[in-house]
Amino acid sequence: MANKRVIVDPITRIEGHLRIEVEVDENNVIQKAYSTSTLWRGLETIVKNRDPRDAGFLMQRICGVCTFSHYRAGIEAVEDALGIKPPLNAKLTRSLMNQALFLHDHIVHFYHLHGLDWVDVVSALKANPAKASKEAFKYAQYPIGTGENELKAVQDKVKIFVEKGQLGPFANAYWGHETYKLTPEENLIALSHYLKALEIQRDLAKMMAIFGGKQPHPQSLTVGGVTCIMDLLDPSRMGEYLTIFKMAKNFVDNAYYADILMAGKAFKSEPSVVQKRGVMNFMSHEEMLLNRSEYLFDTGIIMNGDLSKVYPINEDLITEEATHSWYKDNQPLHPYDGKTNPNYTGFVDKDTVGMDGKMVHSKAIDEDGKYSWIKSPRYDGKPMEVGPLASVLVSYASGNKKIQKIVDEFLAKSGLPTEALFTTLGRTAGRMLQTKAIVENGIETFNTLIENLKVDQETYTSYKIDKNKEYKGRFIGDVPRGMLSHWIRIKNGVVENYQAVVPSTWNAGPKDANGLIGPYESNLVGMKIADLSQPLEIIRVIHSFDPCIACAVH
Ligand code: NFC
């Protein structure tokens, strides 16, 4: 029997232009998977011939979710090209802003973009609030939002939506699907945290704005340093940052961590989330400056899931190719020489499985030709997974004591083996573990900044651009979805070439000229789907990467 083709489009809750197509065999096991983005804007072409001092502002417009990331990357790529060393206060302030971004981004991702893949809202309405309130203590010392009356109020609030048939943010889901594993009480606890997280994320957005001036799209970075010296010298602004940081720590410790423990226990026998699938190569870059020289997370590469070795990154081995992407210039190119010339070839007609499970004739991708606006980044010709899981694994395998303590504690409490990290469940846990590492250690960055400001108030290093010289430079760092790099060439005082190699590009890119598939596609192959008209398993796997396609395509 011929394979059947299932299409999920759009697959994300907010970042809409990602489409997944899979081919399943007669047992509904995925044999082939294709990841494609259907929108392109061309920021890398817009920045050409502009003043490099504007690169940060222009590149910032790639994305309003990881909003600070491309801004900082654009600025630090120019600093690297011009040989500028920003002062310690600027570096620490950027680190604090980055920590605030990670806290906001990961909490919003788990609760609002991914949580409902794990939590069945309709089941939560059947829960006994008194029982749920007691159960919450199994996972947290000081549970948040789980008093009996609070849980009853959550049920009443959501019931109104359901009874009116207007599910709002809870519509279009596959409630009752057989791969939901939490009990009604556990679903209710997590649902309460979903609503709490809506409030928390508002404060975390403010935390970014304290030093950023605004959020999204902060405005306080400049080539050479930061411009928020008035805020850094204002004790009330610093106090505000600290207050929100402590609130975030409480939420991570007593809600986010607890919910992942709960999910770990409930889902540990669900094959779609605990099977080891994917490229098994992980890459991350050091991030989160804690003091004058130490970073919270490490740089390195893990190959074939082997945690006994961590390889250094050789930047010369990073390439992007476009054999199956809608651009000219198929060959792998190093980003200093990367090209972005669109070449859209469209979709073809195929038989596919419709939303009701019946066969229909519809537009589908042409997998033998070009099929996505996302390019295919490779390291030494190999696909790599980037992201919080990669960062945690690389740090863990590098002997980073802070990360080892957090990971080992989590594995002991959840009863999960180390192998469980290499799965969809592990990827979702990895993001939480990264957040846990930040709330446990970020205070060091804050205190170092306070101490340094007492003796040094420098926030900016001056520089000159020589129009007769050619420059090249790059930024490499980790942002909420993983390793990001920006590569710039400057000639005649303007940007000659610019390429961004983005986390969601590494993870979501199509296969390459050698047929090697990337993390999204390889994490789907081999997975069985219970019901083709309700492909929740596909959604859960892809959401665990926290796709951002505005970033991936740019
Ligand atoms: Ni948009 Fe970004 C994407 C991140 O992958 N993190 O480079 C950045 O978005 O969220």
Side-chain angles (χ1 to χ4, degrees), residues 347-378:
F347 284 62
V348 293
D349 289 323
K350 287 201 174 131
D351 288 331
T352 65
V353 179
M355 293 302 276
D356 54 1
K358 299 203 178 100
M359 296 305 287
V360 285
H361 204 55
S362 70
K363 291 283 175 207
I365 56 128
D366 175 13
E367 62 269 19
D368 298 325
K370 293 181 178 288
Y371 66 88
S372 179
W373 282 112
I374 305 176
K375 291 180 186 173
S376 306
R378 293 291 180 263

PDB file of all heavy atoms in Angstrom, residues 347-378:
ATOM      1  N   PHE A 347       4.521  24.861  -5.156  1.00  0.00           N
ATOM      2  CA  PHE A 347       4.022  23.571  -4.659  1.00  0.00           C
ATOM      3  C   PHE A 347       3.526  22.723  -5.845  1.00  0.00           C
ATOM      4  O   PHE A 347       3.346  23.234  -6.950  1.00  0.00           O
ATOM      5  CB  PHE A 347       2.872  23.809  -3.678  1.00  0.00           C
ATOM      6  CG  PHE A 347       3.328  24.280  -2.314  1.00  0.00           C
ATOM      7  CD1 PHE A 347       4.010  25.487  -2.141  1.00  0.00           C
ATOM      8  CD2 PHE A 347       3.086  23.511  -1.186  1.00  0.00           C
ATOM      9  CE1 PHE A 347       4.438  25.909  -0.895  1.00  0.00           C
ATOM     10  CE2 PHE A 347       3.513  23.918   0.065  1.00  0.00           C
ATOM     11  CZ  PHE A 347       4.182  25.124   0.208  1.00  0.00           C
ATOM     12  N   VAL A 348       3.247  21.433  -5.579  1.00  0.00           N
ATOM     13  CA  VAL A 348       2.716  20.550  -6.624  1.00  0.00           C
ATOM     14  C   VAL A 348       1.425  19.895  -6.109  1.00  0.00           C
ATOM     15  O   VAL A 348       1.128  19.962  -4.925  1.00  0.00           O
ATOM     16  CB  VAL A 348       3.748  19.455  -7.006  1.00  0.00           C
ATOM     17  CG1 VAL A 348       4.956  20.065  -7.687  1.00  0.00           C
ATOM     18  CG2 VAL A 348       4.177  18.649  -5.785  1.00  0.00           C
ATOM     19  N   ASP A 349       0.660  19.241  -7.005  1.00  0.00           N
ATOM     20  CA  ASP A 349      -0.581  18.562  -6.588  1.00  0.00           C
ATOM     21  C   ASP A 349      -0.282  17.133  -6.119  1.00  0.00           C
ATOM     22  O   ASP A 349       0.446  16.405  -6.783  1.00  0.00           O
ATOM     23  CB  ASP A 349      -1.566  18.507  -7.767  1.00  0.00           C
ATOM     24  CG  ASP A 349      -2.114  19.892  -8.075  1.00  0.00           C
ATOM     25  OD1 ASP A 349      -2.341  20.651  -7.111  1.00  0.00           O
ATOM     26  OD2 ASP A 349      -2.266  20.218  -9.262  1.00  0.00           O
ATOM     27  N   LYS A 350      -0.885  16.756  -4.977  1.00  0.00           N
ATOM     28  CA  LYS A 350      -0.685  15.379  -4.460  1.00  0.00           C
ATOM     29  C   LYS A 350      -1.948  14.905  -3.749  1.00  0.00           C
ATOM     30  O   LYS A 350      -2.769  15.736  -3.328  1.00  0.00           O
ATOM     31  CB  LYS A 350       0.470  15.337  -3.458  1.00  0.00           C
ATOM     32  CG  LYS A 350       1.827  15.460  -4.114  1.00  0.00           C
ATOM     33  CD  LYS A 350       2.955  14.933  -3.252  1.00  0.00           C
ATOM     34  CE  LYS A 350       4.231  14.970  -4.079  1.00  0.00           C
ATOM     35  NZ  LYS A 350       5.347  15.579  -3.446  1.00  0.00           N
ATOM     36  N   ASP A 351      -2.071  13.568  -3.561  1.00  0.00           N
ATOM     37  CA  ASP A 351      -3.146  13.039  -2.711  1.00  0.00           C
ATOM     38  C   ASP A 351      -2.697  13.131  -1.267  1.00  0.00           C
ATOM     39  O   ASP A 351      -1.610  12.655  -0.920  1.00  0.00           O
ATOM     40  CB  ASP A 351      -3.425  11.560  -3.053  1.00  0.00           C
ATOM     41  CG  ASP A 351      -4.127  11.439  -4.379  1.00  0.00           C
ATOM     42  OD1 ASP A 351      -4.867  12.382  -4.744  1.00  0.00           O
ATOM     43  OD2 ASP A 351      -3.915  10.429  -5.077  1.00  0.00           O
ATOM     44  N   THR A 352      -3.530  13.709  -0.417  1.00  0.00           N
ATOM     45  CA  THR A 352      -3.146  13.866   0.994  1.00  0.00           C
ATOM     46  C   THR A 352      -4.323  13.484   1.889  1.00  0.00           C
ATOM     47  O   THR A 352      -5.459  13.371   1.424  1.00  0.00           O
ATOM     48  CB  THR A 352      -2.750  15.332   1.294  1.00  0.00           C
ATOM     49  OG1 THR A 352      -3.906  16.145   1.132  1.00  0.00           O
ATOM     50  CG2 THR A 352      -1.665  15.832   0.355  1.00  0.00           C
ATOM     51  N   VAL A 353      -4.028  13.325   3.197  1.00  0.00           N
ATOM     52  CA  VAL A 353      -5.095  13.024   4.165  1.00  0.00           C
ATOM     53  C   VAL A 353      -5.665  14.346   4.675  1.00  0.00           C
ATOM     54  O   VAL A 353      -4.920  15.180   5.192  1.00  0.00           O
ATOM     55  CB  VAL A 353      -4.530  12.208   5.359  1.00  0.00           C
ATOM     56  CG1 VAL A 353      -5.633  11.921   6.373  1.00  0.00           C
ATOM     57  CG2 VAL A 353      -3.918  10.915   4.858  1.00  0.00           C
ATOM     58  N   GLY A 354      -6.980  14.534   4.517  1.00  0.00           N
ATOM     59  CA  GLY A 354      -7.603  15.786   4.964  1.00  0.00           C
ATOM     60  C   GLY A 354      -7.818  15.812   6.463  1.00  0.00           C
ATOM     61  O   GLY A 354      -7.538  14.833   7.167  1.00  0.00           O
ATOM     62  N   MET A 355      -8.334  16.925   6.981  1.00  0.00           N
ATOM     63  CA  MET A 355      -8.529  17.086   8.427  1.00  0.00           C
ATOM     64  C   MET A 355      -9.508  16.048   8.990  1.00  0.00           C
ATOM     65  O   MET A 355      -9.476  15.726  10.165  1.00  0.00           O
ATOM     66  CB  MET A 355      -9.057  18.494   8.754  1.00  0.00           C
ATOM     67  CG  MET A 355      -8.077  19.605   8.481  1.00  0.00           C
ATOM     68  SD  MET A 355      -6.535  19.412   9.385  1.00  0.00           S
ATOM     69  CE  MET A 355      -7.002  20.128  10.957  1.00  0.00           C
ATOM     70  N   ASP A 356     -10.416  15.542   8.122  1.00  0.00           N
ATOM     71  CA  ASP A 356     -11.378  14.536   8.591  1.00  0.00           C
ATOM     72  C   ASP A 356     -10.842  13.117   8.420  1.00  0.00           C
ATOM     73  O   ASP A 356     -11.550  12.141   8.641  1.00  0.00           O
ATOM     74  CB  ASP A 356     -12.688  14.690   7.819  1.00  0.00           C
ATOM     75  CG  ASP A 356     -12.441  14.633   6.311  1.00  0.00           C
ATOM     76  OD1 ASP A 356     -11.267  14.449   5.900  1.00  0.00           O
ATOM     77  OD2 ASP A 356     -13.405  14.780   5.541  1.00  0.00           O
ATOM     78  N   GLY A 357      -9.572  12.998   8.012  1.00  0.00           N
ATOM     79  CA  GLY A 357      -8.974  11.679   7.852  1.00  0.00           C
ATOM     80  C   GLY A 357      -9.199  11.068   6.475  1.00  0.00           C
ATOM     81  O   GLY A 357      -8.648  10.018   6.165  1.00  0.00           O
ATOM     82  N   LYS A 358     -10.026  11.752   5.606  1.00  0.00           N
ATOM     83  CA  LYS A 358     -10.293  11.185   4.260  1.00  0.00           C
ATOM     84  C   LYS A 358      -9.273  11.734   3.249  1.00  0.00           C
ATOM     85  O   LYS A 358      -8.691  12.801   3.464  1.00  0.00           O
ATOM     86  CB  LYS A 358     -11.697  11.579   3.814  1.00  0.00           C
ATOM     87  CG  LYS A 358     -12.776  11.049   4.748  1.00  0.00           C
ATOM     88  CD  LYS A 358     -14.115  10.957   4.029  1.00  0.00           C
ATOM     89  CE  LYS A 358     -15.159  10.381   4.960  1.00  0.00           C
ATOM     90  NZ  LYS A 358     -16.012  11.390   5.551  1.00  0.00           N
ATOM     91  N   MET A 359      -9.085  11.011   2.146  1.00  0.00           N
ATOM     92  CA  MET A 359      -8.112  11.440   1.137  1.00  0.00           C
ATOM     93  C   MET A 359      -8.653  12.619   0.330  1.00  0.00           C
ATOM     94  O   MET A 359      -9.810  12.646  -0.047  1.00  0.00           O
ATOM     95  CB  MET A 359      -7.797  10.288   0.176  1.00  0.00           C
ATOM     96  CG  MET A 359      -7.131   9.092   0.837  1.00  0.00           C
ATOM     97  SD  MET A 359      -5.615   9.500   1.732  1.00  0.00           S
ATOM     98  CE  MET A 359      -4.492   9.797   0.376  1.00  0.00           C
ATOM     99  N   VAL A 360      -7.788  13.612   0.088  1.00  0.00           N
ATOM    100  CA  VAL A 360      -8.154  14.742  -0.765  1.00  0.00           C
ATOM    101  C   VAL A 360      -6.977  15.054  -1.691  1.00  0.00           C
ATOM    102  O   VAL A 360      -5.836  14.705  -1.383  1.00  0.00           O
ATOM    103  CB  VAL A 360      -8.476  16.020   0.053  1.00  0.00           C
ATOM    104  CG1 VAL A 360      -9.823  15.937   0.727  1.00  0.00           C
ATOM    105  CG2 VAL A 360      -7.377  16.332   1.048  1.00  0.00           C
ATOM    106  N   HIS A 361      -7.280  15.745  -2.790  1.00  0.00           N
ATOM    107  CA  HIS A 361      -6.241  16.176  -3.713  1.00  0.00           C
ATOM    108  C   HIS A 361      -5.872  17.599  -3.312  1.00  0.00           C
ATOM    109  O   HIS A 361      -6.735  18.450  -3.220  1.00  0.00           O
ATOM    110  CB  HIS A 361      -6.827  16.148  -5.129  1.00  0.00           C
ATOM    111  CG  HIS A 361      -5.795  16.011  -6.177  1.00  0.00           C
ATOM    112  ND1 HIS A 361      -4.869  14.970  -6.197  1.00  0.00           N
ATOM    113  CD2 HIS A 361      -5.513  16.779  -7.253  1.00  0.00           C
ATOM    114  CE1 HIS A 361      -4.088  15.112  -7.241  1.00  0.00           C
ATOM    115  NE2 HIS A 361      -4.460  16.209  -7.895  1.00  0.00           N
ATOM    116  N   SER A 362      -4.607  17.845  -2.973  1.00  0.00           N
ATOM    117  CA  SER A 362      -4.296  19.220  -2.568  1.00  0.00           C
ATOM    118  C   SER A 362      -2.862  19.581  -2.913  1.00  0.00           C
ATOM    119  O   SER A 362      -2.100  18.755  -3.402  1.00  0.00           O
ATOM    120  CB  SER A 362      -4.534  19.398  -1.066  1.00  0.00           C
ATOM    121  OG  SER A 362      -3.559  18.679  -0.363  1.00  0.00           O
ATOM    122  N   LYS A 363      -2.505  20.826  -2.646  1.00  0.00           N
ATOM    123  CA  LYS A 363      -1.142  21.297  -2.901  1.00  0.00           C
ATOM    124  C   LYS A 363      -0.215  20.704  -1.842  1.00  0.00           C
ATOM    125  O   LYS A 363      -0.549  20.698  -0.643  1.00  0.00           O
ATOM    126  CB  LYS A 363      -1.085  22.823  -2.806  1.00  0.00           C
ATOM    127  CG  LYS A 363      -1.829  23.527  -3.933  1.00  0.00           C
ATOM    128  CD  LYS A 363      -1.020  23.504  -5.209  1.00  0.00           C
ATOM    129  CE  LYS A 363      -1.817  24.104  -6.358  1.00  0.00           C
ATOM    130  NZ  LYS A 363      -1.383  23.549  -7.663  1.00  0.00           N
ATOM    131  N   ALA A 364       0.931  20.227  -2.284  1.00  0.00           N
ATOM    132  CA  ALA A 364       1.921  19.687  -1.336  1.00  0.00           C
ATOM    133  C   ALA A 364       3.310  20.102  -1.807  1.00  0.00           C
ATOM    134  O   ALA A 364       3.477  20.568  -2.952  1.00  0.00           O
ATOM    135  CB  ALA A 364       1.801  18.168  -1.281  1.00  0.00           C
ATOM    136  N   ILE A 365       4.293  19.917  -0.949  1.00  0.00           N
ATOM    137  CA  ILE A 365       5.643  20.335  -1.342  1.00  0.00           C
ATOM    138  C   ILE A 365       6.245  19.355  -2.345  1.00  0.00           C
ATOM    139  O   ILE A 365       5.847  18.187  -2.410  1.00  0.00           O
ATOM    140  CB  ILE A 365       6.569  20.463  -0.111  1.00  0.00           C
ATOM    141  CG1 ILE A 365       6.609  19.145   0.666  1.00  0.00           C
ATOM    142  CG2 ILE A 365       6.203  21.607   0.780  1.00  0.00           C
ATOM    143  CD1 ILE A 365       7.977  18.677   0.925  1.00  0.00           C
ATOM    144  N   ASP A 366       7.209  19.843  -3.088  1.00  0.00           N
ATOM    145  CA  ASP A 366       7.920  19.017  -4.054  1.00  0.00           C
ATOM    146  C   ASP A 366       9.256  18.617  -3.418  1.00  0.00           C
ATOM    147  O   ASP A 366      10.254  19.324  -3.553  1.00  0.00           O
ATOM    148  CB  ASP A 366       8.146  19.838  -5.338  1.00  0.00           C
ATOM    149  CG  ASP A 366       8.993  19.084  -6.337  1.00  0.00           C
ATOM    150  OD1 ASP A 366       9.186  17.860  -6.154  1.00  0.00           O
ATOM    151  OD2 ASP A 366       9.479  19.724  -7.289  1.00  0.00           O
ATOM    152  N   GLU A 367       9.272  17.491  -2.721  1.00  0.00           N
ATOM    153  CA  GLU A 367      10.461  17.161  -1.922  1.00  0.00           C
ATOM    154  C   GLU A 367      11.681  16.815  -2.765  1.00  0.00           C
ATOM    155  O   GLU A 367      12.801  16.796  -2.253  1.00  0.00           O
ATOM    156  CB  GLU A 367      10.157  16.023  -0.935  1.00  0.00           C
ATOM    157  CG  GLU A 367       9.761  14.706  -1.533  1.00  0.00           C
ATOM    158  CD  GLU A 367       8.234  14.598  -1.704  1.00  0.00           C
ATOM    159  OE1 GLU A 367       7.556  15.650  -1.694  1.00  0.00           O
ATOM    160  OE2 GLU A 367       7.753  13.475  -1.870  1.00  0.00           O
ATOM    161  N   ASP A 368      11.470  16.531  -4.068  1.00  0.00           N
ATOM    162  CA  ASP A 368      12.640  16.259  -4.908  1.00  0.00           C
ATOM    163  C   ASP A 368      13.295  17.557  -5.362  1.00  0.00           C
ATOM    164  O   ASP A 368      14.438  17.575  -5.821  1.00  0.00           O
ATOM    165  CB  ASP A 368      12.233  15.435  -6.142  1.00  0.00           C
ATOM    166  CG  ASP A 368      11.663  14.089  -5.703  1.00  0.00           C
ATOM    167  OD1 ASP A 368      12.161  13.566  -4.691  1.00  0.00           O
ATOM    168  OD2 ASP A 368      10.707  13.609  -6.348  1.00  0.00           O
ATOM    169  N   GLY A 369      12.525  18.639  -5.271  1.00  0.00           N
ATOM    170  CA  GLY A 369      13.078  19.937  -5.678  1.00  0.00           C
ATOM    171  C   GLY A 369      13.247  20.835  -4.470  1.00  0.00           C
ATOM    172  O   GLY A 369      13.642  20.383  -3.386  1.00  0.00           O
ATOM    173  N   LYS A 370      12.922  22.104  -4.649  1.00  0.00           N
ATOM    174  CA  LYS A 370      13.031  23.060  -3.539  1.00  0.00           C
ATOM    175  C   LYS A 370      11.713  23.055  -2.778  1.00  0.00           C
ATOM    176  O   LYS A 370      10.658  22.977  -3.395  1.00  0.00           O
ATOM    177  CB  LYS A 370      13.369  24.441  -4.106  1.00  0.00           C
ATOM    178  CG  LYS A 370      14.776  24.488  -4.731  1.00  0.00           C
ATOM    179  CD  LYS A 370      15.132  25.847  -5.274  1.00  0.00           C
ATOM    180  CE  LYS A 370      16.557  25.859  -5.832  1.00  0.00           C
ATOM    181  NZ  LYS A 370      17.592  25.813  -4.799  1.00  0.00           N
ATOM    182  N   TYR A 371      11.777  23.144  -1.447  1.00  0.00           N
ATOM    183  CA  TYR A 371      10.505  23.060  -0.719  1.00  0.00           C
ATOM    184  C   TYR A 371      10.412  23.912   0.532  1.00  0.00           C
ATOM    185  O   TYR A 371       9.497  23.738   1.335  1.00  0.00           O
ATOM    186  CB  TYR A 371      10.131  21.599  -0.425  1.00  0.00           C
ATOM    187  CG  TYR A 371      11.005  20.801   0.513  1.00  0.00           C
ATOM    188  CD1 TYR A 371      10.785  20.808   1.898  1.00  0.00           C
ATOM    189  CD2 TYR A 371      12.042  20.001   0.031  1.00  0.00           C
ATOM    190  CE1 TYR A 371      11.556  20.040   2.763  1.00  0.00           C
ATOM    191  CE2 TYR A 371      12.820  19.232   0.888  1.00  0.00           C
ATOM    192  CZ  TYR A 371      12.576  19.262   2.251  1.00  0.00           C
ATOM    193  OH  TYR A 371      13.346  18.498   3.103  1.00  0.00           O
ATOM    194  N   SER A 372      11.349  24.830   0.755  1.00  0.00           N
ATOM    195  CA  SER A 372      11.239  25.662   1.956  1.00  0.00           C
ATOM    196  C   SER A 372      12.007  26.957   1.767  1.00  0.00           C
ATOM    197  O   SER A 372      12.991  27.017   1.021  1.00  0.00           O
ATOM    198  CB  SER A 372      11.831  24.910   3.156  1.00  0.00           C
ATOM    199  OG  SER A 372      11.756  25.716   4.311  1.00  0.00           O
ATOM    200  N   TRP A 373      11.568  28.000   2.496  1.00  0.00           N
ATOM    201  CA  TRP A 373      12.349  29.248   2.519  1.00  0.00           C
ATOM    202  C   TRP A 373      13.502  29.154   3.524  1.00  0.00           C
ATOM    203  O   TRP A 373      14.320  30.061   3.619  1.00  0.00           O
ATOM    204  CB  TRP A 373      11.445  30.428   2.881  1.00  0.00           C
ATOM    205  CG  TRP A 373      10.601  30.916   1.755  1.00  0.00           C
ATOM    206  CD1 TRP A 373       9.254  30.832   1.644  1.00  0.00           C
ATOM    207  CD2 TRP A 373      11.058  31.591   0.567  1.00  0.00           C
ATOM    208  NE1 TRP A 373       8.830  31.395   0.468  1.00  0.00           N
ATOM    209  CE2 TRP A 373       9.910  31.866  -0.201  1.00  0.00           C
ATOM    210  CE3 TRP A 373      12.311  31.967   0.078  1.00  0.00           C
ATOM    211  CZ2 TRP A 373       9.986  32.523  -1.434  1.00  0.00           C
ATOM    212  CZ3 TRP A 373      12.388  32.622  -1.136  1.00  0.00           C
ATOM    213  CH2 TRP A 373      11.241  32.896  -1.885  1.00  0.00           C
ATOM    214  N   ILE A 374      13.510  28.105   4.333  1.00  0.00           N
ATOM    215  CA  ILE A 374      14.589  27.957   5.318  1.00  0.00           C
ATOM    216  C   ILE A 374      15.794  27.314   4.620  1.00  0.00           C
ATOM    217  O   ILE A 374      15.632  26.381   3.834  1.00  0.00           O
ATOM    218  CB  ILE A 374      14.120  27.067   6.497  1.00  0.00           C
ATOM    219  CG1 ILE A 374      12.824  27.641   7.100  1.00  0.00           C
ATOM    220  CG2 ILE A 374      15.204  26.965   7.564  1.00  0.00           C
ATOM    221  CD1 ILE A 374      12.207  26.783   8.206  1.00  0.00           C
ATOM    222  N   LYS A 375      16.995  27.828   4.896  1.00  0.00           N
ATOM    223  CA  LYS A 375      18.197  27.201   4.337  1.00  0.00           C
ATOM    224  C   LYS A 375      18.585  25.997   5.213  1.00  0.00           C
ATOM    225  O   LYS A 375      17.977  25.755   6.252  1.00  0.00           O
ATOM    226  CB  LYS A 375      19.352  28.208   4.313  1.00  0.00           C
ATOM    227  CG  LYS A 375      19.173  29.349   3.308  1.00  0.00           C
ATOM    228  CD  LYS A 375      20.381  30.277   3.364  1.00  0.00           C
ATOM    229  CE  LYS A 375      20.188  31.504   2.480  1.00  0.00           C
ATOM    230  NZ  LYS A 375      21.294  32.476   2.659  1.00  0.00           N
ATOM    231  N   SER A 376      19.627  25.269   4.805  1.00  0.00           N
ATOM    232  CA  SER A 376      20.102  24.116   5.583  1.00  0.00           C
ATOM    233  C   SER A 376      21.503  24.410   6.122  1.00  0.00           C
ATOM    234  O   SER A 376      22.491  24.236   5.405  1.00  0.00           O
ATOM    235  CB  SER A 376      20.157  22.858   4.713  1.00  0.00           C
ATOM    236  OG  SER A 376      18.920  22.637   4.106  1.00  0.00           O
ATOM    237  N   PRO A 377      21.606  24.838   7.401  1.00  0.00           N
ATOM    238  CA  PRO A 377      22.943  25.019   7.979  1.00  0.00           C
ATOM    239  C   PRO A 377      23.570  23.662   8.287  1.00  0.00           C
ATOM    240  O   PRO A 377      22.862  22.716   8.646  1.00  0.00           O
ATOM    241  CB  PRO A 377      22.684  25.785   9.282  1.00  0.00           C
ATOM    242  CG  PRO A 377      21.260  26.223   9.237  1.00  0.00           C
ATOM    243  CD  PRO A 377      20.558  25.255   8.329  1.00  0.00           C
ATOM    244  N   ARG A 378      24.860  23.571   8.154  1.00  0.00           N
ATOM    245  CA  ARG A 378      25.575  22.334   8.480  1.00  0.00           C
ATOM    246  C   ARG A 378      26.887  22.677   9.179  1.00  0.00           C
ATOM    247  O   ARG A 378      27.468  23.747   8.936  1.00  0.00           O
ATOM    248  CB  ARG A 378      25.896  21.526   7.195  1.00  0.00           C
ATOM    249  CG  ARG A 378      24.654  20.956   6.489  1.00  0.00           C
ATOM    250  CD  ARG A 378      24.002  19.859   7.304  1.00  0.00           C
ATOM    251  NE  ARG A 378      22.817  19.278   6.690  1.00  0.00           N
ATOM    252  CZ  ARG A 378      21.561  19.634   6.973  1.00  0.00           C
ATOM    253  NH1 ARG A 378      21.314  20.611   7.843  1.00  0.00           N
ATOM    254  NH2 ARG A 378      20.543  19.029   6.410  1.00  0.00           N
TER     255      ARG A 378
END
